Amino acid sequence: MKKRILYLFVSVLFLASCSEYNKILKSTDYDMKYEYAKKYFEQKKYARAYTLLGELVTIYKGTDKAEESLYLLARSHYMAKDYSTSGQYFTTYYTNYPKGQFAELSRFYAGYGYYLDSPEPELDQSGTYKAIDEMQMFLEYFPRSEKAKEAQDIIFALQEKLVEKEWLNAQLYYNLGNYMGNNYDAAVITAQNALKDYPYTKRKEDLSMLILKSKYQEAIQSVEEKKIERFRDVIDEYYSFINDFPDGANAKDAKKIFNVASKYVKD
């Protein structure tokens, strides 16, 4: 019985709330709408907040409430986890108000939202590049911000995601081997480009080892007249690898490759 009464009480409150919200939506009292939009934001009813604010940013254009209403609109979408839309509104804000009250936060949350929305490494990384661009711009405009360290860490994390995608691509080429072409060469180029673009990546040893393994496979599967030249390249790559990672996790496997290559190159 008590549960039923509680359910009815909650239902009445919900219906009253919906009735109130519908009246506000239809109202032409824009200042009242604005106050309710802020109230809904505080109550974490973000969909209601951004619905009201979406109308108000146009109404308030050119007034003293235009700046805050636009920022709250962006924040409402952000808090609702609609990061793509929030990013567009944050960008509109700092474009229109480059020295505005919320310019620093708008630049940061634009990048942070794209960071949260960044896809897995296997997928298209356009969003990741977008997040990096926003965070780099944030650091350019606000290098002394209290959020600068966090922004830099986010950039590093996003770059590692881009490296991971290149690592997966390089591995795929390696696994394809000579299927429909020389995929070992493609694996080498992909891994080398990743190291060139991100020389301090956590994947540095893995990428370097993949280059060595790819050159080794290319050499071992070559026609006889090309084996010596390619194994010389393998040996050069081994010395480069072992110089960077003398005690690395792949050092023993690299040594095995070197020993085989040395049998082909006597001089």
Side-chain angles (χ1 to χ4, degrees), residues 12-234:
V12 169
L13 286 178
F14 176 75
L15 290 172
S17 173
C18 290
S19 176
E20 175 194 67
Y21 176 61
N22 287 329
K23 287 180 181 178
I24 295 164
L25 278 176
K26 296 173 183 177
S27 174
T28 56
D29 186 341
Y30 300 118
D31 288 341
M32 182 188 71
K33 279 188 173 182
Y34 188 51
E35 292 306 313
Y36 268 96
K38 291 194 288 185
K39 173 185 171 182
Y40 288 139
F41 182 85
E42 292 299 323
Q43 293 176 344
K44 300 183 180 180
K45 297 176 180 178
Y46 302 117
R48 291 187 176 188
Y50 66 62
T51 300
L52 293 175
L53 289 163
E55 176 188 7
L56 293 172
V57 290
T58 302
I59 299 295
Y60 283 143
K61 191 173 183 180
T63 72
D64 57 354
K65 293 180 180 177
E67 182 179 345
E68 184 182 36
S69 61
L70 179 56
Y71 177 72
L72 280 176
L73 176 60
R75 281 289 286 168
S76 296
H77 280 286
Y78 175 88
M79 296 304 293
K81 298 184 179 181
D82 182 359
Y83 301 121
S84 178
T85 303
S86 72
Q88 293 172 20
Y89 283 123
F90 281 130
T91 301
T92 301
Y93 177 91
Y94 69 65
T95 300
N96 291 341
Y97 307 101
K99 296 183 179 180
Q101 180 183 354
F102 308 106
E104 179 178 342
L105 290 174
S106 290
R107 284 194 176 274
F108 178 80
Y109 283 117
Y112 198 82
Y114 291 134
Y115 160 65
L116 294 175
D117 215 26
S118 177
E120 293 301 310
E122 297 85 355
L123 303 176
D124 177 72
Q125 293 300 302
S126 299
T128 302
Y129 285 109
K130 200 169 188 177
I132 291 173
D133 288 343
E134 288 289 347
M135 281 302 180
Q136 287 176 335
M137 289 299 292
F138 169 76
L139 289 173
E140 283 188 30
Y141 277 88
F142 304 100
R144 295 181 178 83
S145 169
E146 62 180 24
K147 294 183 178 293
K149 174 64 167 57
E150 186 178 1
Q152 190 63 70
D153 290 342
I154 287 170
I155 290 172
F156 289 148
L158 291 167
Q159 288 176 337
E160 284 298 326
K161 183 175 286 190
L162 296 178
V163 172
E164 193 67 18
K165 183 173 182 64
E166 293 308 299
W167 161 245
L168 292 172
N169 288 339
Q171 277 191 312
L172 176 61
Y173 285 128
Y174 178 82
N175 292 335
L176 287 172
N178 285 319
Y179 178 72
M180 296 182 70
N182 183 2
N183 292 295
Y184 294 121
D185 193 42
V188 169
I189 292 171
T190 302
Q192 285 177 336
N193 286 338
L195 288 171
K196 181 181 177 182
D197 292 338
Y198 309 103
Y200 303 108
T201 175
K202 297 174 183 177
R203 281 288 190 187
K204 185 174 182 179
E205 181 179 351
D206 294 329
L207 289 164
S208 299
M209 184 62 187
L210 188 60
I211 292 170
L212 177 60
K213 286 166 57 180
S214 298
K215 289 189 174 185
Y216 171 74
Q217 288 297 331
E218 188 175 18
I220 205 79
Q221 296 181 43
S222 293
V223 294
E224 287 301 320
E225 56 266 28
K226 291 186 177 180
K227 280 186 183 293
I228 293 178
E229 177 186 351
R230 287 182 173 172
F231 274 118
R232 283 200 180 100
D233 192 23
V234 171

